[in-house]
Amino acid sequence: QVQLVESGGGLVQPGGSLRLSCAASGSIVSIYAMGWYRQAPGKQRELVAVITNGGETKYADSVKGRFTASGDNAKNTVYLQMNSLKPEDTAVYYCNGDLIDRDGTLHDAWGQGTQVTVSS
């Protein structure tokens, strides 16, 4: 009934920018918070940013000052603006959220991921 879909990934040169989107679809009543994660090959998935439904954000030290999370509650969509990208930012980026549908069911949902590659 609910689903998260990421988009906006791609290949970019160091110092470039990308804007990721995560759209929630289905019979969603409420989203408490959403997180952006990333996973590089051979490494564990790590939390990059968190945004609450009130717009409060937190960031990993590795991306602080370069990445900005935002959201549009009306569209059930969150964004991750990534600036000054570095090769170490290369990873598959996922969004995750606690979504409540109209039946009152809480879903711990994950998107399918979108590839971000930073390379010269």
Side-chain angles (χ1 to χ4, degrees):
Q1 290 292 323
V2 298
Q3 185 179 15
L4 299 178
V5 179
E6 301 96 337
S7 62
L11 175 63
V12 65
Q13 294 183 348
S17 298
L18 286 173
R19 182 173 180 258
L20 306 183
S21 298
C22 175
S25 62
S27 55
I28 298 171
V29 173
S30 179
I31 303 175
Y32 177 73
M34 298 190 71
W36 284 100
Y37 294 76
R38 66 186 182 187
Q39 187 168 27
K43 301 186 69 176
Q44 293 183 322
R45 185 173 298 184
E46 63 177 344
L47 179 64
V48 174
V50 173
I51 182 168
T52 71
N53 58 6
E56 300 171 344
T57 56
K58 294 182 178 180
Y59 302 93
D61 289 339
S62 59
V63 306
K64 195 172 299 182
R66 299 188 297 118
F67 290 11
T68 302
S70 61
D72 187 335
N73 287 332
K75 296 181 179 180
N76 286 330
T77 300
V78 296
Y79 307 93
L80 186 66
Q81 178 67 45
M82 305 184 295
N83 299 324
S84 301
L85 283 163
K86 305 174 181 179
E88 51 263 43
D89 295 319
T90 296
V92 177
Y93 284 71
Y94 301 87
C95 62
N96 165 257
D98 293 327
L99 314 177
I100 300 175
D101 64 22
R102 58 195 175 111
D103 295 324
T105 302
L106 177 64
H107 301 266
D108 182 18
W110 287 87
Q112 85 290 348
T114 184
Q115 176 71 50
V116 172
T117 302
V118 185
S119 176
S120 60

mmCIF file of all heavy atoms in Angstrom, residues 41-82:
data_model
loop_
_atom_site.group_PDB
_atom_site.id
_atom_site.type_symbol
_atom_site.label_atom_id
_atom_site.label_comp_id
_atom_site.label_asym_id
_atom_site.label_seq_id
_atom_site.Cartn_x
_atom_site.Cartn_y
_atom_site.Cartn_z
ATOM 1 N N PRO A 41 29.984 0.100 -2.039
ATOM 2 C CA PRO A 41 30.349 -1.310 -2.186
ATOM 3 C C PRO A 41 31.309 -1.768 -1.097
ATOM 4 O O PRO A 41 32.316 -1.112 -0.829
ATOM 5 C CB PRO A 41 31.005 -1.364 -3.563
ATOM 6 C CG PRO A 41 30.403 -0.227 -4.313
ATOM 7 C CD PRO A 41 30.215 0.856 -3.292
ATOM 8 N N GLY A 42 30.982 -2.882 -0.465
ATOM 9 C CA GLY A 42 31.825 -3.437 0.567
ATOM 10 C C GLY A 42 31.750 -2.742 1.904
ATOM 11 O O GLY A 42 32.499 -3.105 2.822
ATOM 12 N N LYS A 43 30.882 -1.764 2.042
ATOM 13 C CA LYS A 43 30.761 -1.028 3.285
ATOM 14 C C LYS A 43 29.342 -1.123 3.828
ATOM 15 O O LYS A 43 28.403 -1.450 3.112
ATOM 16 C CB LYS A 43 31.142 0.443 3.094
ATOM 17 C CG LYS A 43 32.553 0.661 2.586
ATOM 18 C CD LYS A 43 32.925 2.124 2.562
ATOM 19 C CE LYS A 43 33.052 2.682 3.959
ATOM 20 N NZ LYS A 43 33.511 4.098 3.954
ATOM 21 N N GLN A 44 29.218 -0.848 5.107
ATOM 22 C CA GLN A 44 27.916 -0.880 5.748
ATOM 23 C C GLN A 44 27.089 0.339 5.353
ATOM 24 O O GLN A 44 27.623 1.402 5.025
ATOM 25 C CB GLN A 44 28.061 -0.933 7.270
ATOM 26 C CG GLN A 44 28.659 -2.222 7.804
ATOM 27 C CD GLN A 44 28.711 -2.230 9.318
ATOM 28 O OE1 GLN A 44 28.975 -1.209 9.938
ATOM 29 N NE2 GLN A 44 28.453 -3.383 9.901
ATOM 30 N N ARG A 45 25.798 0.158 5.398
ATOM 31 C CA ARG A 45 24.901 1.272 5.152
ATOM 32 C C ARG A 45 25.018 2.269 6.295
ATOM 33 O O ARG A 45 25.037 1.891 7.469
ATOM 34 C CB ARG A 45 23.464 0.772 5.010
ATOM 35 C CG ARG A 45 22.459 1.834 4.636
ATOM 36 C CD ARG A 45 21.091 1.223 4.346
ATOM 37 N NE ARG A 45 21.134 0.314 3.211
ATOM 38 C CZ ARG A 45 20.062 -0.283 2.698
ATOM 39 N NH1 ARG A 45 18.858 -0.060 3.222
ATOM 40 N NH2 ARG A 45 20.193 -1.101 1.669
ATOM 41 N N GLU A 46 25.100 3.544 5.962
ATOM 42 C CA GLU A 46 25.255 4.574 6.972
ATOM 43 C C GLU A 46 24.196 5.652 6.819
ATOM 44 O O GLU A 46 23.733 5.956 5.715
ATOM 45 C CB GLU A 46 26.657 5.198 6.905
ATOM 46 C CG GLU A 46 26.970 5.911 5.599
ATOM 47 C CD GLU A 46 28.331 6.572 5.587
ATOM 48 O OE1 GLU A 46 28.931 6.743 6.668
ATOM 49 O OE2 GLU A 46 28.817 6.925 4.486
ATOM 50 N N LEU A 47 23.849 6.233 7.935
ATOM 51 C CA LEU A 47 22.878 7.310 7.951
ATOM 52 C C LEU A 47 23.550 8.609 7.540
ATOM 53 O O LEU A 47 24.594 8.979 8.073
ATOM 54 C CB LEU A 47 22.263 7.441 9.342
ATOM 55 C CG LEU A 47 21.228 8.548 9.557
ATOM 56 C CD1 LEU A 47 19.996 8.308 8.691
ATOM 57 C CD2 LEU A 47 20.840 8.624 11.029
ATOM 58 N N VAL A 48 22.932 9.305 6.607
ATOM 59 C CA VAL A 48 23.470 10.554 6.086
ATOM 60 C C VAL A 48 22.738 11.761 6.660
ATOM 61 O O VAL A 48 23.356 12.735 7.084
ATOM 62 C CB VAL A 48 23.407 10.575 4.549
ATOM 63 C CG1 VAL A 48 23.833 11.937 3.998
ATOM 64 C CG2 VAL A 48 24.284 9.472 3.973
ATOM 65 N N ALA A 49 21.422 11.705 6.643
ATOM 66 C CA ALA A 49 20.621 12.838 7.098
ATOM 67 C C ALA A 49 19.268 12.361 7.571
ATOM 68 O O ALA A 49 18.772 11.320 7.130
ATOM 69 C CB ALA A 49 20.460 13.874 5.983
ATOM 70 N N VAL A 50 18.671 13.122 8.459
ATOM 71 C CA VAL A 50 17.332 12.859 8.964
ATOM 72 C C VAL A 50 16.529 14.143 8.865
ATOM 73 O O VAL A 50 17.049 15.235 9.153
ATOM 74 C CB VAL A 50 17.353 12.374 10.430
ATOM 75 C CG1 VAL A 50 15.935 12.280 10.992
ATOM 76 C CG2 VAL A 50 18.045 11.025 10.536
ATOM 77 N N ILE A 51 15.283 14.015 8.464
ATOM 78 C CA ILE A 51 14.385 15.160 8.451
ATOM 79 C C ILE A 51 13.053 14.739 9.042
ATOM 80 O O ILE A 51 12.508 13.695 8.696
ATOM 81 C CB ILE A 51 14.211 15.747 7.031
ATOM 82 C CG1 ILE A 51 13.292 16.974 7.068
ATOM 83 C CG2 ILE A 51 13.724 14.698 6.050
ATOM 84 C CD1 ILE A 51 13.297 17.775 5.781
ATOM 85 N N THR A 52 12.547 15.538 9.963
ATOM 86 C CA THR A 52 11.259 15.262 10.586
ATOM 87 C C THR A 52 10.147 15.928 9.797
ATOM 88 O O THR A 52 10.388 16.748 8.907
ATOM 89 C CB THR A 52 11.225 15.761 12.031
ATOM 90 O OG1 THR A 52 11.201 17.196 12.041
ATOM 91 C CG2 THR A 52 12.440 15.275 12.808
ATOM 92 N N ASN A 53 8.910 15.581 10.148
ATOM 93 C CA ASN A 53 7.782 16.200 9.457
ATOM 94 C C ASN A 53 7.643 17.675 9.799
ATOM 95 O O ASN A 53 6.863 18.384 9.159
ATOM 96 C CB ASN A 53 6.480 15.454 9.753
ATOM 97 C CG ASN A 53 6.151 15.390 11.232
ATOM 98 O OD1 ASN A 53 6.813 15.992 12.071
ATOM 99 N ND2 ASN A 53 5.104 14.630 11.564
ATOM 100 N N GLY A 54 8.382 18.136 10.800
ATOM 101 C CA GLY A 54 8.415 19.548 11.123
ATOM 102 C C GLY A 54 9.552 20.289 10.457
ATOM 103 O O GLY A 54 9.725 21.488 10.700
ATOM 104 N N GLY A 55 10.335 19.583 9.658
ATOM 105 C CA GLY A 55 11.417 20.215 8.934
ATOM 106 C C GLY A 55 12.738 20.260 9.675
ATOM 107 O O GLY A 55 13.703 20.863 9.180
ATOM 108 N N GLU A 56 12.813 19.651 10.839
ATOM 109 C CA GLU A 56 14.066 19.607 11.572
ATOM 110 C C GLU A 56 15.009 18.610 10.918
ATOM 111 O O GLU A 56 14.589 17.543 10.486
ATOM 112 C CB GLU A 56 13.816 19.223 13.030
ATOM 113 C CG GLU A 56 12.913 20.201 13.761
ATOM 114 C CD GLU A 56 12.497 19.706 15.127
ATOM 115 O OE1 GLU A 56 12.644 18.494 15.394
ATOM 116 O OE2 GLU A 56 12.021 20.522 15.933
ATOM 117 N N THR A 57 16.264 18.950 10.870
ATOM 118 C CA THR A 57 17.242 18.113 10.182
ATOM 119 C C THR A 57 18.466 17.846 11.039
ATOM 120 O O THR A 57 18.829 18.643 11.909
ATOM 121 C CB THR A 57 17.694 18.760 8.865
ATOM 122 O OG1 THR A 57 18.214 20.070 9.123
ATOM 123 C CG2 THR A 57 16.537 18.862 7.885
ATOM 124 N N LYS A 58 19.094 16.717 10.775
ATOM 125 C CA LYS A 58 20.374 16.362 11.353
ATOM 126 C C LYS A 58 21.209 15.708 10.261
ATOM 127 O O LYS A 58 20.668 15.059 9.373
ATOM 128 C CB LYS A 58 20.217 15.408 12.540
ATOM 129 C CG LYS A 58 19.524 16.013 13.748
ATOM 130 C CD LYS A 58 19.460 15.025 14.896
ATOM 131 C CE LYS A 58 18.805 15.629 16.121
ATOM 132 N NZ LYS A 58 18.738 14.662 17.249
ATOM 133 N N TYR A 59 22.521 15.884 10.370
ATOM 134 C CA TYR A 59 23.405 15.397 9.325
ATOM 135 C C TYR A 59 24.604 14.681 9.910
ATOM 136 O O TYR A 59 25.068 14.998 11.009
ATOM 137 C CB TYR A 59 23.907 16.548 8.454
ATOM 138 C CG TYR A 59 22.812 17.350 7.804
ATOM 139 C CD1 TYR A 59 22.315 18.495 8.420
ATOM 140 C CD2 TYR A 59 22.276 16.962 6.586
ATOM 141 C CE1 TYR A 59 21.304 19.232 7.836
ATOM 142 C CE2 TYR A 59 21.262 17.696 5.994
ATOM 143 C CZ TYR A 59 20.779 18.831 6.623
ATOM 144 O OH TYR A 59 19.777 19.559 6.029
ATOM 145 N N ALA A 60 25.096 13.723 9.161
ATOM 146 C CA ALA A 60 26.364 13.115 9.509
ATOM 147 C C ALA A 60 27.478 14.138 9.343
ATOM 148 O O ALA A 60 27.409 15.024 8.488
ATOM 149 C CB ALA A 60 26.624 11.899 8.624
ATOM 150 N N ASP A 61 28.502 14.013 10.173
ATOM 151 C CA ASP A 61 29.606 14.970 10.104
ATOM 152 C C ASP A 61 30.252 15.009 8.722
ATOM 153 O O ASP A 61 30.721 16.059 8.282
ATOM 154 C CB ASP A 61 30.662 14.627 11.155
ATOM 155 C CG ASP A 61 30.205 14.916 12.565
ATOM 156 O OD1 ASP A 61 29.267 15.725 12.736
ATOM 157 O OD2 ASP A 61 30.787 14.345 13.505
ATOM 158 N N SER A 62 30.255 13.886 8.041
ATOM 159 C CA SER A 62 30.917 13.802 6.756
ATOM 160 C C SER A 62 30.240 14.625 5.669
ATOM 161 O O SER A 62 30.871 14.938 4.654
ATOM 162 C CB SER A 62 31.017 12.339 6.308
ATOM 163 O OG SER A 62 29.731 11.753 6.208
ATOM 164 N N VAL A 63 28.971 14.967 5.864
ATOM 165 C CA VAL A 63 28.238 15.710 4.848
ATOM 166 C C VAL A 63 27.755 17.059 5.343
ATOM 167 O O VAL A 63 27.210 17.843 4.547
ATOM 168 C CB VAL A 63 27.039 14.899 4.314
ATOM 169 C CG1 VAL A 63 27.483 13.532 3.828
ATOM 170 C CG2 VAL A 63 25.955 14.768 5.375
ATOM 171 N N LYS A 64 27.950 17.352 6.602
ATOM 172 C CA LYS A 64 27.467 18.596 7.175
ATOM 173 C C LYS A 64 28.075 19.797 6.456
ATOM 174 O O LYS A 64 29.280 19.864 6.232
ATOM 175 C CB LYS A 64 27.785 18.636 8.665
ATOM 176 C CG LYS A 64 27.046 19.700 9.451
ATOM 177 C CD LYS A 64 27.291 19.539 10.951
ATOM 178 C CE LYS A 64 26.800 18.195 11.456
ATOM 179 N NZ LYS A 64 26.998 18.040 12.922
ATOM 180 N N GLY A 65 27.220 20.724 6.100
ATOM 181 C CA GLY A 65 27.658 21.901 5.369
ATOM 182 C C GLY A 65 27.628 21.733 3.874
ATOM 183 O O GLY A 65 27.739 22.729 3.138
ATOM 184 N N ARG A 66 27.494 20.501 3.392
ATOM 185 C CA ARG A 66 27.459 20.238 1.960
ATOM 186 C C ARG A 66 26.103 19.717 1.499
ATOM 187 O O ARG A 66 25.681 20.005 0.382
ATOM 188 C CB ARG A 66 28.538 19.223 1.569
ATOM 189 C CG ARG A 66 29.950 19.681 1.878
ATOM 190 C CD ARG A 66 30.987 18.715 1.300
ATOM 191 N NE ARG A 66 30.877 17.381 1.889
ATOM 192 C CZ ARG A 66 30.583 16.279 1.205
ATOM 193 N NH1 ARG A 66 30.366 16.347 -0.107
ATOM 194 N NH2 ARG A 66 30.513 15.105 1.820
ATOM 195 N N PHE A 67 25.442 18.944 2.350
ATOM 196 C CA PHE A 67 24.146 18.354 2.015
ATOM 197 C C PHE A 67 23.048 19.071 2.776
ATOM 198 O O PHE A 67 23.230 19.467 3.935
ATOM 199 C CB PHE A 67 24.101 16.870 2.376
ATOM 200 C CG PHE A 67 24.962 15.969 1.531
ATOM 201 C CD1 PHE A 67 25.907 16.480 0.655
ATOM 202 C CD2 PHE A 67 24.812 14.597 1.622
ATOM 203 C CE1 PHE A 67 26.705 15.647 -0.114
ATOM 204 C CE2 PHE A 67 25.596 13.749 0.856
ATOM 205 C CZ PHE A 67 26.543 14.268 -0.010
ATOM 206 N N THR A 68 21.901 19.196 2.147
ATOM 207 C CA THR A 68 20.740 19.806 2.775
ATOM 208 C C THR A 68 19.503 18.970 2.497
ATOM 209 O O THR A 68 19.173 18.719 1.339
ATOM 210 C CB THR A 68 20.508 21.241 2.270
ATOM 211 O OG1 THR A 68 21.670 22.040 2.510
ATOM 212 C CG2 THR A 68 19.316 21.866 2.995
ATOM 213 N N ALA A 69 18.838 18.538 3.550
ATOM 214 C CA ALA A 69 17.597 17.800 3.412
ATOM 215 C C ALA A 69 16.414 18.747 3.555
ATOM 216 O O ALA A 69 16.451 19.684 4.365
ATOM 217 C CB ALA A 69 17.506 16.687 4.452
ATOM 218 N N SER A 70 15.395 18.510 2.784
ATOM 219 C CA SER A 70 14.188 19.315 2.858
ATOM 220 C C SER A 70 12.997 18.435 2.514
ATOM 221 O O SER A 70 13.165 17.293 2.074
ATOM 222 C CB SER A 70 14.259 20.522 1.918
ATOM 223 O OG SER A 70 14.394 20.110 0.567
ATOM 224 N N GLY A 71 11.814 18.960 2.726
ATOM 225 C CA GLY A 71 10.638 18.168 2.450
ATOM 226 C C GLY A 71 9.462 19.010 2.021
ATOM 227 O O GLY A 71 9.407 20.216 2.282
ATOM 228 N N ASP A 72 8.548 18.368 1.354
ATOM 229 C CA ASP A 72 7.290 18.971 0.942
ATOM 230 C C ASP A 72 6.199 18.036 1.434
ATOM 231 O O ASP A 72 5.916 17.011 0.812
ATOM 232 C CB ASP A 72 7.242 19.140 -0.570
ATOM 233 C CG ASP A 72 6.026 19.906 -1.037
ATOM 234 O OD1 ASP A 72 4.994 19.909 -0.329
ATOM 235 O OD2 ASP A 72 6.091 20.507 -2.124
ATOM 236 N N ASN A 73 5.599 18.390 2.560
ATOM 237 C CA ASN A 73 4.592 17.523 3.158
ATOM 238 C C ASN A 73 3.389 17.300 2.244
ATOM 239 O O ASN A 73 2.817 16.211 2.216
ATOM 240 C CB ASN A 73 4.114 18.108 4.488
ATOM 241 C CG ASN A 73 5.146 17.984 5.584
ATOM 242 O OD1 ASN A 73 5.980 17.075 5.573
ATOM 243 N ND2 ASN A 73 5.105 18.886 6.549
ATOM 244 N N ALA A 74 3.018 18.324 1.505
ATOM 245 C CA ALA A 74 1.870 18.206 0.620
ATOM 246 C C ALA A 74 2.102 17.172 -0.471
ATOM 247 O O ALA A 74 1.157 16.539 -0.951
ATOM 248 C CB ALA A 74 1.531 19.561 0.003
ATOM 249 N N LYS A 75 3.349 17.013 -0.872
ATOM 250 C CA LYS A 75 3.692 16.065 -1.924
ATOM 251 C C LYS A 75 4.219 14.744 -1.377
ATOM 252 O O LYS A 75 4.541 13.851 -2.160
ATOM 253 C CB LYS A 75 4.731 16.670 -2.865
ATOM 254 C CG LYS A 75 4.251 17.888 -3.630
ATOM 255 C CD LYS A 75 5.338 18.406 -4.562
ATOM 256 C CE LYS A 75 4.858 19.602 -5.355
ATOM 257 N NZ LYS A 75 5.914 20.121 -6.266
ATOM 258 N N ASN A 76 4.315 14.643 -0.055
ATOM 259 C CA ASN A 76 4.901 13.452 0.569
ATOM 260 C C ASN A 76 6.254 13.121 -0.042
ATOM 261 O O ASN A 76 6.549 11.964 -0.357
ATOM 262 C CB ASN A 76 3.948 12.259 0.456
ATOM 263 C CG ASN A 76 2.770 12.357 1.394
ATOM 264 O OD1 ASN A 76 2.852 12.943 2.469
ATOM 265 N ND2 ASN A 76 1.647 11.769 0.996
ATOM 266 N N THR A 77 7.057 14.145 -0.183
ATOM 267 C CA THR A 77 8.341 14.009 -0.842
ATOM 268 C C THR A 77 9.427 14.695 -0.022
ATOM 269 O O THR A 77 9.213 15.783 0.512
ATOM 270 C CB THR A 77 8.309 14.615 -2.251
ATOM 271 O OG1 THR A 77 7.310 13.950 -3.037
ATOM 272 C CG2 THR A 77 9.653 14.464 -2.944
ATOM 273 N N VAL A 78 10.567 14.051 0.085
ATOM 274 C CA VAL A 78 11.734 14.660 0.701
ATOM 275 C C VAL A 78 12.838 14.742 -0.329
ATOM 276 O O VAL A 78 12.864 13.988 -1.307
ATOM 277 C CB VAL A 78 12.212 13.902 1.954
ATOM 278 C CG1 VAL A 78 11.161 13.959 3.047
ATOM 279 C CG2 VAL A 78 12.556 12.454 1.609
ATOM 280 N N TYR A 79 13.766 15.656 -0.092
ATOM 281 C CA TYR A 79 14.840 15.914 -1.030
ATOM 282 C C TYR A 79 16.169 15.922 -0.292
ATOM 283 O O TYR A 79 16.242 16.180 0.910
ATOM 284 C CB TYR A 79 14.647 17.263 -1.725
ATOM 285 C CG TYR A 79 13.292 17.432 -2.362
ATOM 286 C CD1 TYR A 79 12.242 18.035 -1.668
ATOM 287 C CD2 TYR A 79 13.056 16.993 -3.655
ATOM 288 C CE1 TYR A 79 10.995 18.191 -2.247
ATOM 289 C CE2 TYR A 79 11.815 17.144 -4.243
ATOM 290 C CZ TYR A 79 10.787 17.747 -3.532
ATOM 291 O OH TYR A 79 9.547 17.898 -4.111
ATOM 292 N N LEU A 80 17.199 15.652 -1.029
ATOM 293 C CA LEU A 80 18.553 15.779 -0.512
ATOM 294 C C LEU A 80 19.377 16.521 -1.547
ATOM 295 O O LEU A 80 19.708 15.965 -2.599
ATOM 296 C CB LEU A 80 19.165 14.412 -0.205
ATOM 297 C CG LEU A 80 20.535 14.449 0.473
ATOM 298 C CD1 LEU A 80 20.415 15.038 1.882
ATOM 299 C CD2 LEU A 80 21.155 13.056 0.530
ATOM 300 N N GLN A 81 19.664 17.780 -1.251
ATOM 301 C CA GLN A 81 20.517 18.583 -2.114
ATOM 302 C C GLN A 81 21.957 18.324 -1.727
ATOM 303 O O GLN A 81 22.350 18.557 -0.578
ATOM 304 C CB GLN A 81 20.183 20.064 -1.973
ATOM 305 C CG GLN A 81 21.054 20.989 -2.814
ATOM 306 C CD GLN A 81 20.818 20.821 -4.292
ATOM 307 O OE1 GLN A 81 19.672 20.740 -4.732
ATOM 308 N NE2 GLN A 81 21.890 20.753 -5.069
ATOM 309 N N MET A 82 22.738 17.845 -2.663
ATOM 310 C CA MET A 82 24.119 17.479 -2.411
ATOM 311 C C MET A 82 25.028 18.397 -3.216
ATOM 312 O O MET A 82 25.010 18.378 -4.444
ATOM 313 C CB MET A 82 24.372 16.014 -2.776
ATOM 314 C CG MET A 82 23.437 15.038 -2.072
ATOM 315 S SD MET A 82 23.830 13.305 -2.436
ATOM 316 C CE MET A 82 23.473 13.274 -4.195
#
